[in-house]
Amino acid sequence: MRTLLLTMAVFLILFGCDRRDTLHPVESHKGPVAYGDTIIEGTSGDANTLLPVLASDSASSEINGLVYSSLVRYDKDLKIEGELAESWEISADNLTITFHLRSGVTWHDGTPFTAEDVLFTYRLYIDPKTPTAYAEQYRQVATAQVLDPTTFRVSYRQPLAKALISWGELSVLPRHLLEGEDVTKSPLARHPVGTGPFRFVEWKPGEKIVLEANPDYFEGRPYLDRVVYRIIPDESTMFLELQAGGLDTMGLNPIQYQTQTDSPAFKRQFVKYRYPAFAYTYLGYNLNRPLFQDKRVRQALSYAINKKEIIEGVLLGLGQESTGPYKPGTWPYNSAVKRYPYDPERARTLLAEAGWTDSDGDGILDKDGKPFAFTIVTNQGNDQRVKSGEIIQRRFREIGVDVKLRVIEWASFLNEFINPGNFDATILGWTVPIDPDGYNVWHSSKTGPRELNFVGFKNAEVDELLEKGRRTLETAERKKYYDRFQEILAEEQPYTFLYVPDALPVVASRFQGIEPAPAGITYNFIRWYVPKEAQKYAR
């Protein structure tokens, strides 16, 4: 993905395929490659903005990933390849990257794309007036310059481990439409213009977003004519729409995957996939609230949660326990960190040490005359988070903690609660980038408004480890820093890391050209097609 995502809804391009369980259709629609048809995708949340520099949610980022392009990207095997850049050279001291850009690329309005657009976008990201969560890694650049219309060069003050792929997280924006404008008031937030494989058509808030194939796309016109995102906040309603033919693809929940998709009729119409996601779900504590500033309290709450109960009861076993911000089995993952098995007695002991006792015998702990009570917020449209919250609520009640669970529509959830820090605790998820640099989410400098460290975690040693980790190019040395980083998170528990879910996408069987790989199933989306005789929608 081009940005770190609240998760959100899952963006499949960052899912790994270490394990796959594919249900093949009984009736195949295989046939010659053809142009045409529309794919309709169900999504639980509406987009927030279609300007990537301002977007921090998955719904926006998924749309932006089809409308805009970056200099580089990950290929199907998670290796870096060119996108707008055809090639590049890195200097011997690893401080300078020279990008050679594609010629003949045009914006969706027909204006030629040049290196000036890249320079403009870089400057927009680092402009203090731009309210973006992603500026920091570009502020590491010492100089950025246009050598000619198809050559862009950046030099760094010191080595940055993710320097090259950071240019895959920056969606290049049109200079001719944004220069001299207030980016926060730009009409591009509602009507984007990019260089990507699909062009924007319309956005009906709360209903749908429509894209169409870009006939001038530099890698060739996509085979599918249109992509329609239908906003359906309720998972059950979305699944009914899928079964009725109103959707072609969505992410299944575990119950749908395990028990509601085994009929012959479903198997004829759809193909479903399963693989561990590059994502995790967590219960995050607002560390600016006095209630959560004692780490013994946070540790106690982690001991009070039965992760296995959640994985078996909510995920139906389609997932694994999370112990930190990295996917188990990947090189930065530290399997030796402190763990928090379900232990309510240990939880009660820690809370008592922190001064929380039931002084009045009402079953709720109190301290200084105040009950231990707070609210967990999560987003509408994600049944797994809601059900996890209900289980957590019950387990907390058993140790004397009174918790309310509040489920909020996605846009309001972000704008009224998460972004302004107006919450006690939240159940959310992060998509995990391939590179382990966690600076944007965990560094103490990222705790401001609309930044990604919205729980307010601040730790001087973590800051130092993150800074060293991003400056070190040797993988073994980086791992030492990230191992220690995970040890501190495990001790401090700013989040209770809950689980790593399996991705469970389903796609109508008329779509061909889908080739699962370590990058997931959508890395070659522009090459998905429907044979002429199986096409459902005329343009």
Side-chain angles (χ1 to χ4, degrees):
M1 290 183 67
R2 309 208 190 287
T3 57
L4 285 171
L5 308 177
L6 276 175
T7 180
M8 13 231 172
V10 217
F11 191 18
L12 297 178
I13 197 170
L14 288 183
F15 289 162
C17 287
D18 303 333
R19 180 174 77 253
R20 183 167 61 88
D21 177 5
T22 303
L23 175 67
H24 295 283
V26 175
E27 296 180 1
S28 175
H29 296 295
K30 289 189 181 299
V33 172
Y35 291 95
D37 214 349
T38 294
I39 188 166
I40 303 176
E41 178 171 346
T43 179
S44 61
D46 200 352
N48 191 38
T49 175
L50 297 184
L51 263 176
V53 66
L54 304 180
S56 60
D57 63 290
S58 62
S60 300
S61 296
E62 185 165 355
I63 307 294
N64 291 335
L66 295 179
V67 173
Y68 296 94
S69 309
S70 298
L71 296 188
V72 298
R73 65 189 174 199
Y74 286 112
D75 70 6
K76 67 177 184 177
D77 296 314
L78 302 178
K79 297 177 181 177
I80 299 174
E81 67 176 5
E83 189 172 5
L84 286 170
E86 284 187 317
S87 62
W88 56 87
E89 294 104 31
I90 300 176
S91 62
D93 61 4
N94 291 302
L95 293 178
T96 299
I97 308 174
T98 303
F99 292 100
H100 302 285
L101 310 181
R102 294 176 184 265
S103 58
V105 176
T106 59
W107 293 95
H108 293 160
D109 64 1
T111 303
F113 158 79
T114 74
E116 293 289 350
D117 293 302
V118 185
L119 180 62
F120 168 78
T121 303
Y122 155 74
R123 289 174 173 168
L124 182 66
Y125 268 74
I126 65 170
D127 188 336
K129 295 191 295 294
T130 302
T132 182
Y134 312 112
E136 198 280 331
Q137 61 189 347
Y138 305 109
R139 290 186 178 133
Q140 305 306 307
V141 172
T143 61
Q145 53 188 317
V146 171
L147 303 186
D148 61 50
T150 59
T151 310
F152 176 69
R153 175 176 291 168
V154 288
S155 295
Y156 291 81
R157 300 179 185 88
Q158 51 187 319
L160 182 65
K162 64 175 297 186
L164 179 57
I165 196 55
S166 72
W167 297 95
E169 298 172 358
L170 182 144
S171 296
V172 181
L173 302 174
R175 174 191 175 192
H176 66 288
L177 297 177
L178 284 169
E179 191 168 38
E181 302 291 325
D182 181 347
V183 69
T184 64
K185 299 177 181 178
S186 171
L188 294 187
R190 308 295 299 184
H191 298 83
V193 175
T195 57
F198 289 88
R199 303 186 301 196
F200 174 81
V201 176
E202 68 172 331
W203 181 359
K204 292 185 177 180
E207 181 182 341
K208 66 180 179 179
I209 296 174
V210 181
L211 309 177
E212 67 179 6
N214 175 11
D216 302 316
Y217 181 53
F218 52 82
E219 291 186 304
R221 179 201 187 280
Y223 290 127
L224 298 176
D225 281 344
R226 288 198 166 199
V227 181
V228 177
Y229 293 87
R230 286 188 57 195
I231 295 94
I232 305 175
D234 180 71
E235 283 186 344
S236 298
T237 302
M238 191 186 301
F239 186 60
L240 290 173
E241 280 290 319
L242 181 82
Q243 293 175 300
L247 297 177
D248 297 309
T249 181
M250 64 175 282
L252 297 175
N253 66 35
I255 293 176
Q256 293 163 349
Y257 183 92
Q258 292 280 57
T259 67
Q260 299 176 0
T261 55
D262 284 336
S263 69
F266 191 90
K267 293 177 181 180
R268 282 194 295 270
Q269 295 179 64
F270 298 99
V271 182
K272 61 181 183 179
Y273 301 85
R274 174 191 173 191
Y275 37 81
F278 269 92
Y280 64 89
T281 296
Y282 62 90
L283 172 62
Y285 308 104
N286 187 342
L287 304 183
N288 295 311
R289 300 286 166 95
L291 187 61
F292 300 115
Q293 290 177 356
D294 188 330
K295 75 176 181 181
R296 292 173 297 183
V297 169
R298 304 191 298 270
Q299 290 175 341
L301 296 177
S302 292
Y303 278 120
I305 295 172
N306 190 336
K307 295 181 185 180
K308 291 181 180 179
E309 176 184 38
I310 293 173
I311 292 169
E312 293 302 319
V314 177
L315 302 185
L316 303 184
L318 301 178
Q320 55 193 308
E321 289 188 35
S322 175
T323 60
Y326 302 120
K327 178 183 172 181
T330 59
W331 71 262
Y333 177 72
N334 182 356
S335 61
V337 299
K338 179 177 180 178
R339 293 174 181 260
Y340 293 81
Y342 177 58
D343 190 343
E345 287 305 316
R346 178 63 176 151
R348 292 185 185 98
T349 299
L350 284 169
L351 290 172
E353 291 175 3
W356 291 96
T357 60
D358 183 9
S359 64
D360 54 11
D362 66 351
I364 301 300
L365 301 178
D366 55 81
K367 181 180 179 180
D368 300 327
K370 295 181 180 179
F372 197 146
F374 65 95
T375 299
I376 297 173
V377 296
T378 194
N379 62 290
Q380 185 182 35
N382 191 309
D383 198 42
Q384 294 176 34
R385 293 179 191 165
V386 175
K387 289 181 177 177
S388 297
E390 291 170 350
I391 291 173
I392 290 169
Q393 182 183 36
R394 184 173 68 250
R395 291 302 184 191
F396 283 177
R397 183 64 178 78
E398 290 174 356
I399 64 166
V401 177
D402 182 23
V403 171
K404 292 181 173 60
L405 181 65
R406 186 173 178 186
V407 183
I408 304 160
E409 183 273 328
W410 180 249
S412 297
F413 175 71
L414 288 180
N415 296 327
E416 298 177 24
F417 294 88
I418 298 301
N419 289 340
N422 182 28
F423 65 95
D424 296 325
T426 183
I427 298 176
L428 267 177
W430 283 115
T431 298
V432 182
I434 305 304
D435 188 274
D437 182 4
Y439 192 100
N440 276 342
V441 176
W442 296 107
H443 197 274
S444 62
S445 66
K446 297 300 177 180
T447 57
R450 301 187 68 86
E451 298 277 12
L452 302 184
N453 187 353
F454 48 78
V455 298
F457 178 68
K458 297 179 181 180
N459 182 285
E461 186 179 357
V462 164
D463 287 352
E464 182 181 1
L465 290 165
L466 292 173
E467 289 158 9
K468 287 181 176 178
R470 69 199 326 230
R471 300 296 177 198
T472 305
L473 303 183
E474 174 56 46
T475 299
E477 190 67 19
R478 291 188 82 194
K479 181 164 175 56
K480 293 179 183 177
Y481 299 134
Y482 292 123
D483 278 355
R484 175 57 184 153
F485 161 56
Q486 290 168 81
E487 290 173 359
I488 295 172
L489 289 185
E491 175 66 21
E492 294 294 326
Q493 289 293 285
Y495 293 175
T496 296
F497 295 91
L498 297 173
Y499 57 79
V500 174
D502 283 349
L504 305 171
V506 61
V507 184
S509 58
R510 74 179 190 277
F511 293 94
Q512 303 298 309
I514 302 173
E515 299 177 355
I521 64 172
T522 60
Y523 69 91
N524 70 334
F525 182 64
I526 66 169
R527 295 295 170 246
W528 291 16
Y529 70 94
V530 179
K532 276 294 182 186
E533 67 275 9
Q535 291 184 9
K536 184 175 180 180
Y537 300 100
R539 187 163 182 174

